[in-house]
Amino acid sequence: MHDASIGQKIRESMMPEGLPLDLLQMAETHRIAEEAQVIEKIVESTSSEIISSLETSPSSQINNGHVQSESHGEPATSGEVVKQPVRTADPQWPTRTSQLLGFQILGVGAYVPDQVVTNAELQERCGIDPDWIEQRTGILARRYVAEGQATSHLCIMAAQRAMADAGVTAEEVDLVVIGTFTPDHLCPSTANLVQAHLGIEAPAMDLAAACSGFTYALATAAQFIVTGNSRRALVIGGDCNSRIVNPQDPKVAPLFGDGAGAVVLGRGDEKQGLVRYQLGSDGSGASLLDRPAGGTLHPFTESDLRDGKTYLQMDGRNVFKWAVKAVCNSILVTLEQAQVSIEQVSMFILHQANLRIINHVAEDLGIQQDRIYNNLDKYGNTSAGSIPIALAEVIASGRLQRGELLLICGFGAGLTWGTCLLRW
């Protein structure tokens, strides 16, 4: 058995609180060096822990102290010599993955609101140096909704563009699934509102998996397509983060923006779809990134509003450490069990949370920069919207062709993660 879950281990290793805001910038050089040492240890741990059972039996994995047989599926290309990843996943990382073939993405679309908020504008609001934001996150600007707009409005625009790209009408769509953790209302779901506005006659539901929301929604809707219970499924990832962050919080407000992306799913051939995917959860790390008040456990009170407990709160340092390890290990497990090498994947799209996370993962796994997409500088972290927005840009640029392999990876609050290896 594991001695502790991922979230518990993170909390046990939590370091003292960082410097006060007025000293952060003075201590920037020290903190960057300190975090570099943390990442170096994570990388060393990830690369040094080799699963001996994989070397002797590719169908066996170690899970919670037990040998578990796994189905690896078919190699990426029949008869081709498959190169395994140089790195090997941490033996304590969850090994369960699945395969879901027989569907394809027919169309993509994305929407971000018109209002551009630059780092310079945030300096006026909360006094943080624009260069500090760029250096720490890679973000130069983000988009905010206008007064009267909400998550549903973003999703509707993205959906209309995806449907147009797929050549699909509202009458043809028979399922709507939205990944979001910033719904218009606690009830009804945002998917209900989008379905009604678009004139779709179909079941509609929200999935709340924060920044992993799109990967969860994609895997869920794909089940309906493959089993024949849906012919055209509309999958959307979208969030309106500007409404849930404290605009005066210099550690959280600069990170997030608003936006949505959508795809339309339909039947594909037997090689298209999810070659391998892993969805995961570790609720023991829930307090690392949460909104403390507003649910049935802690309903809204005046004191919560006064104390800022209705806003998104994040232990940035420990979320950063977890994210690097989670993304590397989930990608490695997924590729290992698909018998696919890093080199065989044409494009990687990671959740756009922090450019330093993306760069660390690319360096650790040996991913060339021209095969890992990012638009973080323009939009910031749009949560469930980040992957489908990036996907729409990749497709529009012609950087992914039919038959090629695409890997997407979402990670965030929950703690949750979702890695999907798709044959386009």
Side-chain angles (χ1 to χ4, degrees):
M1 296 293 291
H2 294 178
D3 294 332
S5 65
I6 297 167
Q8 289 170 330
K9 288 181 179 179
I10 290 174
R11 287 202 300 273
E12 289 170 1
S13 64
M14 284 176 65
M15 302 173 66
E17 291 293 327
L19 296 171
L21 175 61
D22 59 348
L23 296 179
L24 275 173
Q25 296 174 14
M26 297 173 58
E28 184 61 30
T29 301
H30 172 73
R31 292 192 61 181
I32 291 176
E34 182 183 52
E35 291 190 1
Q37 292 176 351
V38 170
I39 298 303
E40 183 177 356
K41 291 179 181 179
I42 292 173
V43 170
E44 181 180 352
S45 172
T46 301
S47 60
S48 65
E49 294 170 322
I50 307 298
I51 308 176
S52 60
S53 62
L54 282 173
E55 297 175 345
T56 57
S57 174
S59 63
S60 296
Q61 296 285 333
I62 298 175
N63 188 22
N64 289 337
H66 301 283
V67 177
Q68 175 181 335
S69 176
E70 295 284 357
S71 171
H72 296 307
E74 294 299 318
T77 305
S78 178
E80 183 178 2
V81 177
V82 179
K83 296 173 63 179
Q84 294 298 324
V86 176
R87 306 289 188 190
T88 307
D90 184 332
Q92 292 195 346
W93 189 259
T95 59
R96 183 182 298 129
T97 67
S98 300
Q99 184 181 68
L100 189 64
L101 300 175
F103 78 93
Q104 62 177 310
I105 294 176
L106 301 173
V108 297
Y111 175 77
V112 292
D114 294 333
Q115 183 183 1
V116 179
V117 179
T118 65
N119 291 347
E121 291 177 73
L122 288 185
Q123 182 180 32
E124 297 177 5
R125 299 185 186 188
C126 53
I128 191 167
D129 183 0
D131 293 334
W132 186 87
I133 299 174
E134 180 182 359
Q135 183 180 27
R136 303 287 292 179
T137 68
I139 299 170
L140 300 177
R142 69 286 298 146
R143 302 295 184 95
Y144 283 178
V145 293
E147 191 69 29
Q149 283 186 311
T151 298
S152 65
H153 299 92
L154 305 176
C155 292
I156 288 166
M157 293 295 295
Q160 290 174 329
R161 294 177 179 182
M163 291 165 62
D165 186 52
V168 170
T169 65
E171 290 74 19
E172 296 175 274
V173 176
D174 53 15
L175 177 66
V176 180
V177 183
I178 297 182
T180 185
F181 80 135
T182 59
D184 288 22
H185 312 283
L186 294 179
C187 177
S189 75
T190 299
N192 293 147
L193 305 178
V194 172
Q195 168 262 316
H197 183 91
L198 295 176
I200 294 171
E201 184 178 341
M205 58 183 167
D206 287 357
L207 286 179
C211 301
S212 305
F214 179 74
T215 55
Y216 271 65
L218 175 67
T220 299
Q223 316 284 336
F224 284 81
I225 295 290
V226 172
T227 57
N229 289 295
S230 171
R231 290 178 54 83
R232 295 290 185 267
L234 177 60
V235 182
I236 309 171
D239 279 301
C240 188
N241 295 310
S242 63
R243 297 284 167 77
I244 66 166
V245 298
N246 184 343
Q248 302 303 317
D249 185 344
K251 294 182 291 185
V252 176
L255 306 180
F256 292 92
D258 304 334
V263 299
V264 176
L265 305 185
R267 289 290 296 181
D269 64 38
E270 68 277 3
K271 293 183 179 180
Q272 287 181 300
L274 293 171
V275 177
R276 213 76 202 166
Y277 70 99
Q278 181 182 69
L279 303 180
S281 169
D282 179 11
S284 69
S287 63
L288 296 177
L289 181 56
D290 67 351
R291 295 178 68 191
T296 56
L297 182 61
H298 296 294
F300 289 121
T301 66
E302 290 186 11
S303 63
D304 289 331
L305 291 171
R306 185 171 54 251
D307 298 337
K309 292 184 178 180
T310 60
Y311 290 124
L312 188 66
Q313 299 184 6
M314 178 171 64
D315 179 351
R317 178 173 302 192
N318 285 294
V319 169
F320 185 96
K321 290 161 57 180
W322 169 81
V324 172
K325 187 168 185 176
V327 174
C328 286
N329 281 292
S330 185
I331 289 176
L332 287 172
V333 165
T334 301
L335 292 181
E336 286 168 3
Q337 296 191 16
Q339 299 182 30
V340 168
S341 70
I342 291 288
E343 293 76 15
Q344 290 174 294
V345 180
S346 297
M347 182 61 63
F348 293 81
I349 300 177
L350 307 186
H351 166 51
Q352 305 290 294
N354 186 306
L355 187 59
R356 291 189 300 136
I357 292 176
I358 295 173
N359 287 341
H360 278 303
V361 171
E363 181 178 356
D364 186 25
L365 299 185
I367 303 172
Q368 297 174 342
Q369 286 296 326
D370 63 348
R371 291 192 295 123
I372 188 165
Y373 191 81
N374 77 78
N375 55 17
L376 186 71
D377 58 327
K378 298 185 295 182
Y379 307 128
N381 181 346
T382 54
S383 298
S386 74
I387 290 176
I389 290 172
L391 177 60
E393 293 185 344
V394 166
I395 298 304
S397 68
R399 295 176 65 180
L400 187 68
Q401 304 302 320
R402 284 297 181 189
E404 293 184 330
L405 290 173
L406 163 71
L407 187 141
I408 62 176
C409 180
F411 52 92
L415 299 164
T416 61
W417 66 92
T419 299
C420 298
L421 178 65
L422 297 105
R423 184 173 298 285
W424 192 260

